[in-house]
Amino acid sequence: MGFFDRFKRKKGPDPIAPGPSKAAPAADTAAVILLGSDVGVAAVTRAVEARFGPQSLVSTDNSAPNAPAMTVRLEGVEFFCSYLAMPHPAQVYDLSSLHEGLFSPQEREELLAHKAFLVLAQKGGGVSLEEKRRVCRLFTRLAGALVGLDGAAGVFLAEAELLISRRVYLQHAAILDRNWEDPEYFPAPLWVSIRSGQKGEFPMVGTWGLRQFGFLELWFLDAKSPWPELHEKLYLMSIFQITGRELYRDMDTIEFTPGNPSVFRELKGALFITGGV
């Protein structure tokens, strides 16, 4: 069995009433870029023009002095960016509640101590899985340029409740750049978080954020494999679905090791994977 063959499902019996294993992706895409200092909106426009050229900056809007904004166009896709010289409001989302994410303890403190933030959004472009994937890849490139600003702390993605340090975001954005021509590459760690939890007496490890691409979340229930192996499996399974190579469904099976199948069972908007791991 080849490495990637491990992530190919074996179809179960067709259910009488198929569950919502695949739905339309979320058409809108957004994230918050946290800045450790009030760098000013001029630094943001310079970063965009330096990375993508002056033609990428379609317009600027200073009509709201406390929230200057700009529109950026990349490969025909327009992104809206607004600058706010204040900490992200806790009443919108309390970032201090996030104890799991892609950061070191010191980086988490730097993220929580941010002084300003950018709202980066793309409206309506994710009308299909293919277009959602394209928007997210372009979004990652643009966000990477902005996270590269001196004083930037990192990124918060509300759809995945995911907090990412500047260091980690730039690492994955650079990998995307190196693999830009590869349609089978997608920077899943920047879009899907891995969470831990408990279901009764059983520990769980799973995704949070696949729903923005139209998929059920994937959770390993009572898995015995080491944490890094479960992370790798969940990220790869996420990539396989986001890139259109697989669609995991209720009652399908998968063999991470030959002769030792795991079973998908759908429950309350998620696919739980039991046995074999």
Side-chain angles (χ1 to χ4, degrees):
M1 175 186 290
F3 178 77
F4 291 111
D5 290 333
R6 301 176 188 177
F7 301 91
K8 293 181 178 178
R9 67 183 177 119
K10 295 183 178 180
K11 295 181 181 180
D14 288 336
I16 296 174
S21 298
K22 181 70 181 78
D28 297 344
T29 306
V32 171
I33 298 171
L34 304 172
L35 305 172
S37 60
D38 182 5
V39 300
V41 70
V44 178
T45 59
R46 287 195 299 269
V48 170
E49 292 180 330
R51 175 68 188 277
F52 304 106
Q55 76 286 348
S56 63
L57 190 60
V58 177
S59 65
T60 57
D61 181 0
N62 297 309
S63 60
N66 295 328
M70 69 194 73
T71 301
V72 180
R73 184 183 295 128
L74 301 180
E75 298 185 12
V77 179
E78 290 193 352
F79 299 84
F80 175 80
C81 182
S82 182
Y83 185 96
L84 293 96
M86 58 180 284
H88 188 266
Q91 61 267 34
V92 175
Y93 195 101
D94 184 3
L95 300 180
S96 67
S97 67
L98 296 172
H99 296 280
E100 293 182 284
L102 300 179
F103 48 72
S104 68
Q106 179 181 347
E107 288 170 335
R108 180 176 181 272
E109 293 305 312
E110 293 170 354
L111 287 159
L112 296 181
H114 69 279
K115 305 300 182 186
F117 68 96
L118 299 168
V119 175
L120 184 61
Q122 201 290 319
K123 295 292 185 179
V127 294
S128 66
L129 179 59
E130 180 181 6
E131 287 302 310
K132 181 70 172 182
R133 188 167 61 240
R134 178 170 178 261
V135 165
C136 288
R137 282 164 57 97
L138 289 168
F139 194 107
T140 301
R141 269 194 157 173
L142 178 53
L146 300 178
V147 174
L149 284 164
D150 289 339
V155 173
F156 170 61
L157 181 68
E159 287 293 332
E161 297 183 350
L162 177 59
L163 197 57
I164 312 169
S165 73
R166 178 182 191 268
R167 171 185 59 86
V168 175
Y169 202 95
L170 290 177
Q171 284 177 351
H172 285 283
I175 295 171
L176 173 62
D177 279 340
R178 294 196 296 269
N179 292 275
W180 189 254
E181 302 303 324
D182 181 0
E184 295 189 343
Y185 180 78
F186 186 82
L190 303 184
W191 293 95
V192 178
S193 64
I194 306 298
R195 311 286 285 274
S196 58
Q198 197 80 13
K199 186 174 178 62
E201 61 186 70
F202 300 113
M204 303 188 304
V205 180
T207 65
W208 198 254
L210 275 177
R211 64 190 181 281
Q212 65 188 308
F213 298 95
F215 299 106
L216 298 175
E217 304 295 352
L218 298 172
W219 284 84
F220 285 115
L221 181 61
D222 196 26
K224 310 302 182 185
S225 298
W227 181 268
E229 289 185 15
L230 297 176
H231 266 64
E232 180 184 46
K233 288 180 173 67
L234 287 167
Y235 280 139
L236 284 171
M237 293 167 75
S238 297
I239 292 170
F240 268 53
Q241 292 202 114
I242 293 169
T243 57
R245 286 178 277 178
E246 288 291 335
L247 173 60
Y248 304 114
R249 297 188 59 170
D250 186 36
M251 298 302 294
D252 287 344
T253 61
I254 190 170
E255 291 188 1
F256 297 109
T257 55
N260 195 15
S262 302
V263 181
F264 294 93
R265 294 306 307 268
E266 183 179 338
L267 179 65
K268 295 183 179 179
L271 281 175
F272 288 88
I273 308 161
T274 60
V277 285

